[in-house]
Amino acid sequence: MKYVDEYRDRDLVRRLADHLHHLVQRPVRIMEVCGTHTMAIFRHGLRSLLPGAIRLVSGPGCPVCVTPTGVIDAFVELAGRDDVVIATFGDMVRVPGSNGSLATARAEGADIRVVYSPMDALQLAARQPEQMVVFLSVGFETTTPTIAATVLEAERAGVDNFFIFAANKVMPPPLEALMRDPGLEVDGLLCPGHVSSIIGADAYTFLARDHGLACAVAGFEPADILQAIIALVRQVQAGRPKVENCYGRVVTAAGNTRAGEIVRTVFRPVASEWRGLGVIGKSGLALRRQYARFDAAARLSISVAPSREPAGCRCGSILKGICSPDDCPLFGGRCTPATPVGPCMVSTEGTCAAWYRYGGAGRAISENSNQVLP
Ligand code: SF4
């Protein structure tokens, strides 16, 4: 497949890994802030290819994982109403709240539908005008444009039983908050490829300029990720942090400006709570006043209570990059993908799920093909 196979080529991957081994001269700590990167790194066994001096840590890159318990509880409360149909992406269904999950609510009779796009939820509302359909709007910059476009379409079509529960988040403010945390020692950032396709590589300039953080935008194939790690190591060792776009076949400097316009038309920035990181100014999105009639929380009088982490769960620290899943006493015992205690074990992009599935440092085998990495 064009743009995929050549970036999985085993000879290229081997050469890049060899180059990295020759290049690295000091410990370099790199954070990835994209759940798809986390999974790709494990799935392709990249950790086992890296020199020991390179340490990878995961950050707050999984939108389901960073959604705090109070919001999950509000989702579950909403699902309990007889006149409401919940439409959600599948990852959210099993995330535990304080008193059960959406899956629990469904077992108790709630009408919960898994959809693949917000437009599916709008179509559901159009087909069932006697019920209120609420789309659980969770996601980063990559997902939000389609949600904004769906709100605009709902308005155009005059669908008045469609609502969203806006829990969307944006990535730059938490990155800045992390960089201000003296406990976090990170030299470089593997910038999220999907988010960057919308906000553009220039969105990270402040991290290099103001915080001395090396930045590289990366794609999701093994060669993409290794090229970005090489770029980061070069910057760190040269003491010249900047933003390098290593995913030029998808990401531009300015990003998708049309998508950005649609989002700004429908949403406004607000302070938002992140699991593990607390409340961060302008890191969330709320519907603008002219679209308030689609706001499920306001129209259905649902409020978000203060969040509490599940007892013993270290998701908050994992999302801050200061813990690994094997630091959690529940990992692999009480907490497994079949019996998740925290969201990082539920989501397909969760760090704990990746560690459980691929076994800590990961294997040097690509699941997607017969390409066994060196
Ligand atoms: Fe939370 Fe489970 Fe991960 Fe521990 S292993 S941090 S309980 S999700």
Side-chain angles (χ1 to χ4, degrees), residues 157-361:
V159 180
D160 59 10
N161 63 323
F162 172 77
F163 306 90
I164 70 166
F165 196 118
N168 299 76
K169 296 190 188 301
V170 296
M171 192 49 87
L175 293 179
E176 172 136 54
L178 278 175
M179 290 312 118
R180 292 188 188 285
D181 185 338
L184 184 78
E185 291 162 7
V186 169
D187 303 299
L189 184 74
L190 209 55
C191 303
H194 294 145
V195 164
S196 305
S197 70
I198 303 297
I199 66 175
D202 284 353
Y204 309 102
T205 303
F206 75 99
L207 292 170
R209 185 191 59 223
D210 303 340
H211 300 280
L213 186 71
C215 297
V217 180
F220 298 95
E221 302 307 327
D224 286 319
I225 295 170
L226 288 174
Q227 281 172 345
I229 292 174
I230 288 170
L232 291 173
V233 170
R234 283 202 184 114
Q235 289 183 43
V236 170
Q237 292 185 167
R240 285 200 292 273
K242 59 182 177 180
V243 179
E244 281 183 73
N245 183 3
C246 302
Y247 197 25
R249 65 188 187 278
V250 171
V251 175
T252 62
N256 185 332
T257 52
R258 177 71 186 121
E261 270 169 36
I262 292 173
V263 170
R264 283 190 294 278
T265 299
V266 173
F267 291 104
R268 63 187 168 88
V270 290
S272 180
E273 183 185 356
W274 293 60
R275 190 184 295 255
L277 278 68
V279 176
I280 301 172
K282 296 186 178 175
S283 69
L285 296 171
L287 285 164
R288 290 191 182 278
R289 193 178 311 140
Q290 57 267 48
Y291 301 102
R293 73 184 181 89
F294 298 105
D295 184 345
R299 293 285 303 278
L300 303 176
S301 303
I302 298 285
S303 56
V304 174
S307 296
R308 277 181 297 128
E309 288 267 342
C313 175
R314 298 271 180 89
C315 280
S317 298
I318 288 169
L319 293 164
K320 281 177 80 172
I322 55 176
C323 254
S324 296
D326 56 357
D327 294 323
C328 174
L330 308 184
F331 178 75
R334 259 185 63 204
C335 185
T336 69
T339 57
V341 175
C344 297
M345 189 59 94
V346 179
S347 171
T348 52
E349 298 193 337
T351 306
C352 298
W355 278 63
Y356 188 89
R357 183 169 181 191
Y358 295 108

Side-chain angles (χ1 to χ4, degrees), residues 78-142:
L78 203 47
R81 291 182 50 151
D82 290 338
D83 51 352
V84 166
V85 176
I86 296 288
T88 178
F89 295 136
D91 269 13
M92 190 52 78
V93 174
R94 294 175 62 238
V95 176
S98 304
N99 299 301
S101 62
L102 290 169
T104 317
R106 183 162 59 187
E108 291 168 354
D111 192 345
I112 295 167
R113 315 284 179 93
V114 172
V115 294
Y116 293 99
S117 88
M119 212 57 99
D120 292 345
L122 179 58
Q123 288 167 359
L124 181 65
R127 283 198 307 272
Q128 299 188 196
E130 70 287 354
Q131 286 187 291
M132 292 185 279
V133 174
V134 177
F135 176 71
L136 305 183
S137 185
V138 171
F140 294 143
E141 287 92 334
T142 325

